[in-house]
């Protein structure tokens, strides 16, 4: 009985310690809004401000919430900023009648970083984050201390052919049929597919991920913005040659981390980025589109290993 009581005390102590540690780590993340071009833009911030900044740019139809597990694992080495794009996550949407594009979203994030005093940064880009981050990088190459790509193609042969065909069909003027088709993809069905398809262990995924996304998907204003962006994906294809030249000419320190079972972007897309970026590191995972749900700790270790010695 005495040994049993001792074990119980040890177990309770360990549980209390782990709980307190969790609270401490969570409390270290700040949740803020900043006015950008008249809009309230939400962002998460963590880590010492005297460290090099890493900017985490989320995918569709998610938000900075997708980095909730990664952020605490980076804060010992980096100052971390993870924004929600205008009209996504918890950021305010531009008023109806304003056509939201990847150009306008990238400018808003650039203005946010300027307001926050970020002069140099590593950009982590997933899905929608790719065309936003690459626009900022090519406009301001001196700002870039490094790039991290996760499941976003910058070559046409990195796309699933059927999805690429749909993207190309949206070129040209918007029509009611195009908009209806694009809006149909802004759905929980799409969201669940992106999380669960190809996951190494779909039953172990945290449902908080898509529950959080449901908040924005249910908001008519956010749905409008995400539909605008779905229709604007074709504009990114035209910039692929410029992005390839940027990687070849500027040679930014580059890490590619990839969920190989993504239904949209193929494993070849990761290797294509690696070939374009001299000296890059490429890591494939048995995971899906939102690979951080399963491999965030390994990704964090690779980021720290490659970039922690980078001077601010």
């Amino acid at each position: 009985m005495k040994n049993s009581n001792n074990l119980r005390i040890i177990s309770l102590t360990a549980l209390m310690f782990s709980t307190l540690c969790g609270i401490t780590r969570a409390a270290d993340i700040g949740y803020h809004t900043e006015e950008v071009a008249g809009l309230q833009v939400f962002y998460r911030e963590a880590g010492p401000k005297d460290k090099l900044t890493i900017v985490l740019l989320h995918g569709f139809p998610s938000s900075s919430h997708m980095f909730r597990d990664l952020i605490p694992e980076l804060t010992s080495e980096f100052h971390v900023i993870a924004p929600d794009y205008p009209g996504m996550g918890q950021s305010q949407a531009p008023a109806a009648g304003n056509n939201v594009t990847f150009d306008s979203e990238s400018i808003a994030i650039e203005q946010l970083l300027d307001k926050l005093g970020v002069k140099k940064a590593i950009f982590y880009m997933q899905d929608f984050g790719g065309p936003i981050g690459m626009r900022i990088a090519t406009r301001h190459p001196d700002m870039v201390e490094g790039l991290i790509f996760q499941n976003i193609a910058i070559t046409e042969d990195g796309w699933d052919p059927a999805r690429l065909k749909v993207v190309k069909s949206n070129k040209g003027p918007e029509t009611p049929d195009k908009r209806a088709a694009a809006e149909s993809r802004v759905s929980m069905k799409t969201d669940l597919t992106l999380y669960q398809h190809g996951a190494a262990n779909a039953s172990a995924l945290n449902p908080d991920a898509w529950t959080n996304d449901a908040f924005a998907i249910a908001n008519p204003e956010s749905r409008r913005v995400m539909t605008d962006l779905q229709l604007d994906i074709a504009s990114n294809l035209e910039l692929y040659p410029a992005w390839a030249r940027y990687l070849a000419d500027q040679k930014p320190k580059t890490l590619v981390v990839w969920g190989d079972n993504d239904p949209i972007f193929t494993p070849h897309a990761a290797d294509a980025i690696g070939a374009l970026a001299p000296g890059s590191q490429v890591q494939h995972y048995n995971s899906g589109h939102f690979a951080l749900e399963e491999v965030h700790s390994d990704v964090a270790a690779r980021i720290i290993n490659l970039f922690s010695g980078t001077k601010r």
Side-chain angles (χ1 to χ4, degrees):
M1 181 66 72
K2 184 176 181 180
N3 288 339
S4 177
N5 287 337
N6 287 341
L7 286 172
R8 184 175 298 176
I9 291 168
I10 291 170
S11 297
L12 288 172
T13 302
L15 178 60
M16 291 173 63
F17 179 76
S18 63
T19 302
L20 287 171
C21 286
I23 291 170
T24 300
R25 293 178 74 183
D28 289 339
I29 301 175
Y31 306 93
H32 311 287
T33 59
E34 184 72 44
E35 185 173 316
V36 177
L39 300 174
Q40 293 298 314
V41 175
F42 174 87
Y43 66 97
R44 299 166 195 253
E45 186 174 23
K49 292 187 178 181
D50 61 349
K51 296 278 191 178
L52 177 63
T53 299
I54 181 167
V55 178
L56 306 178
L57 299 173
H58 66 81
F60 163 87
S62 189
S63 66
S64 59
H65 183 262
M66 70 169 277
F67 298 112
R68 67 195 179 283
D69 294 320
L70 183 68
I71 291 172
E73 296 175 325
L74 296 177
T75 53
S76 65
E77 299 294 333
F78 302 101
H79 171 227
V80 184
I81 294 174
D84 291 355
Y85 316 136
M88 294 186 69
Q90 301 197 58
S91 288
Q92 184 180 359
N98 292 297
N99 189 33
V100 179
T101 64
F102 285 99
D103 280 343
S104 67
E105 295 283 56
S106 70
I107 290 168
I109 297 305
E110 185 180 314
Q111 291 175 343
L112 172 67
L113 296 177
D114 184 61
K115 277 202 163 189
L116 298 179
V118 176
K119 305 299 182 186
K120 298 278 189 179
I122 299 161
F123 289 88
Y124 186 117
M125 303 170 289
Q126 194 264 355
D127 191 65
F128 274 13
I132 290 172
M134 288 304 292
R135 279 172 168 79
I136 297 173
T138 51
R139 285 197 298 261
H140 302 284
D142 291 344
M143 187 178 183
V144 177
E145 291 290 351
L147 298 176
I148 303 165
F149 293 89
Q150 188 220 316
N151 294 80
I152 176 60
I154 62 170
T155 58
E156 289 193 13
D157 59 359
W159 284 79
D160 169 75
R163 183 71 185 103
L164 181 63
K165 183 178 179 180
V166 172
V167 167
K168 288 186 171 182
S169 73
N170 286 326
K171 288 184 177 180
E174 180 183 318
T175 66
D177 286 346
K178 286 181 182 178
R179 187 160 193 92
E183 187 172 14
S184 72
R185 291 189 289 276
V186 185
S187 67
M188 284 306 299
K189 179 180 178 181
T190 299
D191 197 37
L192 287 169
T193 297
L194 292 175
Y195 279 105
Q196 297 174 354
H197 181 93
N201 185 4
S203 65
L205 296 175
N206 185 346
D208 290 352
W210 50 85
T211 300
N212 184 80
D213 295 350
F215 169 80
I217 291 171
N219 181 335
E221 293 301 292
S222 294
R223 285 177 57 81
R224 171 177 56 82
V225 167
M226 288 190 275
T227 300
D228 284 350
L229 291 171
Q230 283 286 326
L231 290 167
D232 193 47
I233 292 173
S235 71
N236 300 324
L237 307 182
E238 301 168 3
L239 297 177
Y240 284 179
W243 295 349
R245 287 194 300 271
Y246 166 83
L247 292 175
D249 294 345
Q250 297 295 326
K251 300 178 176 60
K253 188 180 290 188
T254 300
L255 174 65
V256 184
V257 288
W258 209 266
D260 278 352
N261 308 320
D262 191 326
I264 300 175
F265 304 115
T266 69
H268 173 74
D271 297 326
I273 296 170
L276 290 169
S280 59
Q281 295 183 16
V282 180
Q283 178 62 39
H284 293 269
Y285 296 99
N286 176 28
S287 192
H289 185 75
F290 286 112
L292 286 181
E293 296 297 315
E294 299 188 287
V295 298
H296 57 86
S297 292
D298 191 75
V299 170
R302 292 177 186 278
I303 293 171
I304 291 169
N305 183 61
L306 183 60
F307 293 106
S308 62
T310 304
K311 294 182 179 180
R312 187 177 184 209

